[in-house]
Amino acid sequence: MATYKVLVVDDEPALARALQINLKAAGWDVVTAADGAGALSAMATRPDVVLLDLGLPDMDGTDVIAGIRGWSPVPIVVLSARQHGEDKVEALDLGADDYVTKPF
């Protein structure tokens, strides 16, 4: 059975840990990052999917999407508390594949 890798990018330690525990229980290999720079560095691990919060301490998650899309077609699912339609449209226009509003 193949193991898939997910990159979880969230600056909320409790949420990142909960996602990590649940994804590992489902058989995923999980890499985490707490900020945008860490997320872009962690892309070197070649994840199969990215779960990305937009509200990061060092840069906006949309900048992370743009950075990833500059060289990778990896699926990106945004997990964000931002509920305005403009935020969703911007993230999707930049290349995110889906947008899930927190809390979920």
Side-chain angles (χ1 to χ4, degrees), residues 38-83:
L40 294 173
S41 292
M43 284 300 297
T45 67
R46 304 180 71 70
D48 296 293
V49 64
V50 177
L51 302 181
L52 173 68
D53 183 18
L54 293 182
L56 300 172
D58 62 340
M59 67 177 71
D60 194 79
T62 57
D63 295 326
V64 177
I65 295 169
I68 291 171
R69 282 293 173 255
W71 62 276
S72 176
V74 66
I76 300 171
V77 178
V78 172
L79 307 177
S80 183
R82 296 181 187 174
Q83 298 183 9

